[in-house]
Amino acid sequence: MTQTGKVVAITGASSGIGEATARRLAADGHRVLLGARRTDRLEGLVEQIVAEGGTAAFRALDVTDAQDVRAFVDAARAEFGRIDVLVNNAGVMPLSPLEALKTEEWDRMIDVNVRGVLHGIAAALPAMRAQGAGHIVNIASVGAYEVSPTAAVYCATKFVVRAISEGLRQESGGDLRVTLVSPGVTESELADSISDPAAREAMKAYRAVALPASAIADAIAYALSQPPGVDVNEVIVRPTASAQ
Ligand code: NDP
């Protein structure tokens, strides 16, 4: 286990991939600040990490609110003195066919999955530039590379995250690392937000073969563990048995 002790802020750390990432990075010796809306979950997670010898704190966070995201990053700096890594992980996936016209759900996906990531970049970039080093890890999806029925808007948000990540990488100026991690089907609470009955049913079969969330945490840990001159740009992780 490496004891690199980076300061890592993770959005959407109350379940699934964010929670697994918090556990893994804390076990690796990093100091983690956890953000999400369900603070009861975060509180319990921080207690467990600390009980296992890790260093962790939490803060209520809604990534759709730019000021809140700024306060979240500021809290990492106040608590731990700096911000080395921001993991933009928070996301929602209320799938439905376009003709169902679930426009509020389209807006929510754009607000959380796209604006949330931009708010994170806006909050962390100035501090990382001032430090002369930093690492932004954006969680996209296999849906950042292909579109499927009921997933048009969700995939669109992930295509955007991929485009933003590539643009940020090109502008990194040599002191910012940018990693896009794209999971295939992974055990989490993501499909719980699907309100469309047909899309919800279809997801049961699609999600029958799933990675443990720790598999994505492992990919993030790998990117963080590289020396400063090595930038792991894109990682796609699918279940071996998955065709999509
Ligand atoms: P979960 O639903 O388990 O976790 C999503 C996290 O996002 C929760 O911690 C939730 O916390 C948080 N979140 C949602 N809305 C907000 C908000 N407005 N502000 C702050 N936090 C928010 O799903 P996953 O772990 O699967 O999702 C993590 C990421 O992985 C997402 O970006 C998702 O798109 C991506 N992904 C997941 C795949 C999978 O199969 N699981 C496949 C491909 C990509 P809270 O509700 O407490 O705020």
Side-chain angles (χ1 to χ4, degrees):
M1 235 179 245
T2 53
Q3 294 290 324
T4 46
K6 289 182 177 162
V7 175
V8 185
I10 305 170
T11 72
S14 58
S15 62
I17 292 167
E19 177 184 342
T21 302
R23 291 184 193 282
R24 169 63 203 262
L25 297 184
D28 282 358
H30 300 296
R31 291 165 284 167
V32 294
L33 178 69
L34 314 182
R37 294 164 304 169
R38 291 172 295 173
T39 50
D40 52 332
R41 296 272 197 108
L42 297 178
E43 191 173 9
L45 180 56
V46 165
E47 278 172 11
Q48 287 176 33
I49 289 172
V50 170
E52 286 160 18
T55 303
F58 73 94
R59 190 180 198 284
L61 170 68
D62 185 340
V63 297
T64 66
D65 180 337
Q67 276 193 346
D68 205 23
V69 182
R70 214 173 303 130
F72 178 63
V73 168
D74 287 347
R77 300 172 73 202
E79 184 83 23
F80 301 124
R82 49 189 290 124
I83 170 100
D84 296 308
V85 185
L86 173 65
V87 182
N88 280 314
N89 165 74
V92 291
M93 189 189 70
L95 302 179
S96 61
L98 288 168
E99 65 180 5
L101 301 182
K102 290 185 178 281
T103 55
E104 285 181 13
E105 293 185 353
W106 302 349
D107 287 344
R108 190 149 60 88
M109 283 188 276
I110 292 165
D111 286 343
V112 177
N113 301 2
V114 177
R115 290 201 171 87
V117 168
L118 287 171
H119 293 158
I121 292 169
L125 202 49
M128 290 178 174
R129 287 283 188 232
Q131 291 168 182
H135 194 165
I136 304 273
V137 179
N138 293 329
I139 308 304
S141 166
V142 289
Y145 299 85
E146 62 207 2
V147 182
S148 52
T150 76
V153 178
Y154 178 74
C155 293
T157 65
K158 296 302 188 178
F159 271 65
V160 170
V161 171
R162 186 172 153 218
I164 291 167
S165 303
E166 174 60 8
L168 184 62
R169 183 194 71 76
Q170 291 176 9
E171 296 174 11
S172 78
D175 59 4
L176 183 76
R177 298 197 291 175
V178 182
T179 300
L180 184 75
V181 176
S182 290
V185 178
T186 305
E187 288 165 5
S188 77
E189 299 174 14
L190 194 66
D192 296 356
S193 63
I194 302 174
S195 67
D196 183 80
R200 205 179 165 89
E201 199 52 37
M203 269 296 105
K204 282 186 187 156
Y206 179 73
R207 299 186 71 80
V209 178
L211 294 165
S214 61
I216 308 306
D218 291 347
I220 295 168
Y222 167 74
L224 264 59
S225 72
Q226 299 305 303
V230 178
D231 192 6
V232 178
N233 298 134
E234 289 191 43
V235 185
I236 304 177
V237 187
R238 293 183 176 89
T240 307
S242 171
Q244 283 87 5

